């Protein structure tokens, strides 16, 4: 009796699942080297603009190092170009004071602030701001990253070399964990559904969207905020990719 419910006598294959739900994209958010926002990025893309520029010593994010070490590191890099998100207060630029440098953002690294900025645009585009408890429980987040905040790890390592480990920030771990991007998005908006963070290098964004799609298809959530975030323009990351 039980076996007939699980599989037929001629096959061990399980019975087919019910058809998954149709999934649609309802909102978009982008923060790219071509600009902040979907409109800015698309406009610059179709105009043929390039988001790659020369790297400066400030881009290396070596705040904990002396000037001599900074200069030597910069000189030894075999590549000095990168695709960097434009920062500033002008339209189409990423406002660091709003998303990154605020006093209450001490536990937020740059890659996390990028995710918050893009998620905010996507949610506004989708007009999704649930206040109902059930809707919050049925809304999840799937945002991954590749490396997290390497610059924070580099600064922490320098503290060990200088025997200043007691000055390590209590926010060090929350700043470097990949899953904190999805965590901060869910906390900001009160989403209580699945919270997921893929770590699959350059495929992270695609995997995060694919995982989110399956969660909606099979009923784990009704709405998912999905994508990928990265901020790997720093001395150690550039040196590593130069090899």
């Amino acid at each position: 009796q039980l076996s007939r419910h699980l599989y037929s006598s001629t096959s061990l294959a399980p019975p087919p699942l019910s058809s998954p739900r149709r999934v649609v994209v309802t909102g978009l958010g982008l923060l790219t080297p071509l600009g902040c926002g979907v409109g800015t990025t698309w406009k610059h893309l179709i105009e043929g603009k390039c988001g790659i520029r020369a790297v400066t010593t400030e881009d290396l994010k070596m705040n904990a190092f002396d000037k001599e070490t900074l200069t030597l590191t910069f000189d030894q890099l075999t590549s000095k170009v990168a695709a960097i998100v434009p920062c500033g207060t002008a339209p189409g630029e990423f406002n660091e004071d709003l998303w990154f440098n605020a006093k209450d953002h001490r536990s937020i690294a740059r890659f996390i602030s990028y995710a918050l900025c893009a998620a905010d645009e996507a949610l506004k585009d989708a007009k999704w701001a649930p206040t109902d408890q059930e809707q919050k429980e049925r809304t999840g987040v799937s945002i991954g990253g590749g490396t997290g905040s390497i610059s924070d790890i580099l600064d922490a390592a320098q503290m060990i070399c200088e025997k200043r480990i007691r000055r390590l920030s209590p926010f060090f771990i929350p700043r470097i964990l990949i899953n904190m991007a999805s965590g901060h998005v869910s906390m900001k908006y009160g989403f209580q559904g699945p919270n997921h963070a893929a770590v699959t290098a350059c495929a992270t964004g695609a995997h995060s969207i694919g995982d989110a799609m399956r969660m909606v298809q099979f009923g784990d959530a009704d709405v998912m905020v999905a994508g990928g975030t990265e901020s790997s323009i720093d001395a150690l990351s550039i040196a590593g990719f130069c090899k």
Side-chain angles (χ1 to χ4, degrees):
Q1 288 268 343
L2 180 61
S3 63
R4 285 204 297 270
H5 288 288
L6 295 177
Y7 48 81
S8 69
S9 59
T10 58
S11 172
L12 295 179
L17 296 172
S18 58
S19 299
R21 297 190 296 177
R22 183 168 176 253
V23 182
V24 296
V25 176
T26 57
L28 296 174
L30 284 176
L31 182 61
T32 76
L34 290 176
C36 181
V38 173
T40 300
T41 297
W42 180 249
K43 179 177 181 293
H44 290 169
L45 182 65
I46 61 176
E47 289 176 351
K49 292 189 177 181
C50 180
I52 299 173
R53 65 167 174 83
V55 173
T56 67
T57 55
E58 292 181 357
D59 295 323
L60 299 187
K61 302 181 181 69
M62 295 177 62
N63 301 328
F65 294 79
D66 59 78
K67 187 175 181 179
E68 181 182 357
T69 303
L70 172 60
T71 303
L72 181 61
T73 301
F74 183 78
D75 291 341
Q76 290 183 340
L77 293 177
T78 56
S79 176
K80 295 184 175 66
V81 294
I84 301 174
V85 171
C87 297
T89 57
E93 294 180 334
F94 175 67
N95 190 333
E96 293 181 306
D97 292 334
L98 179 63
W99 298 103
F100 182 57
N101 293 332
K103 292 182 179 179
D104 57 345
H105 286 177
R106 288 180 295 172
S107 64
I108 295 179
R110 186 171 293 272
F111 81 100
I112 300 173
S113 67
Y114 286 172
L116 286 167
C117 181
D120 185 72
E121 182 185 18
L123 288 167
K124 288 177 179 177
D125 187 33
K127 297 179 175 59
W128 184 247
T131 56
D132 180 76
Q133 179 62 26
E134 183 177 357
Q135 289 181 328
K136 290 183 177 181
E137 291 177 357
R138 298 293 297 169
T139 303
V141 183
S142 175
I143 299 176
T147 60
S149 184
I150 296 295
S151 59
D152 278 302
I153 297 174
L154 186 62
D155 288 344
Q158 178 65 8
M159 286 185 177
I160 294 179
C161 295
E162 297 177 353
K163 300 180 176 62
R164 297 186 297 120
I165 194 62
R166 288 190 177 184
R167 296 187 60 186
L168 183 68
S169 169
F171 298 109
F172 171 66
I173 295 299
R175 285 174 62 89
I176 68 171
L177 294 177
I178 295 292
N179 61 289
M180 291 307 293
S182 58
H184 275 287
V185 171
S186 64
M187 289 187 290
K188 179 177 180 179
Y189 301 100
F191 299 151
Q192 299 173 24
N195 197 275
H196 182 66
V199 185
T200 49
C202 295
T204 294
H207 283 172
S208 297
I209 294 172
D211 291 344
M213 181 190 71
R214 290 177 62 85
M215 290 178 190
V216 175
Q217 277 184 327
F218 295 103
D220 297 318
D222 293 330
V223 178
M224 292 292 295
V225 181
T229 181
E230 192 66 277
S231 176
S232 57
I233 308 299
D234 57 78
L236 196 57
S237 297
I238 295 176
F241 280 111
C242 283
K243 295 296 182 179

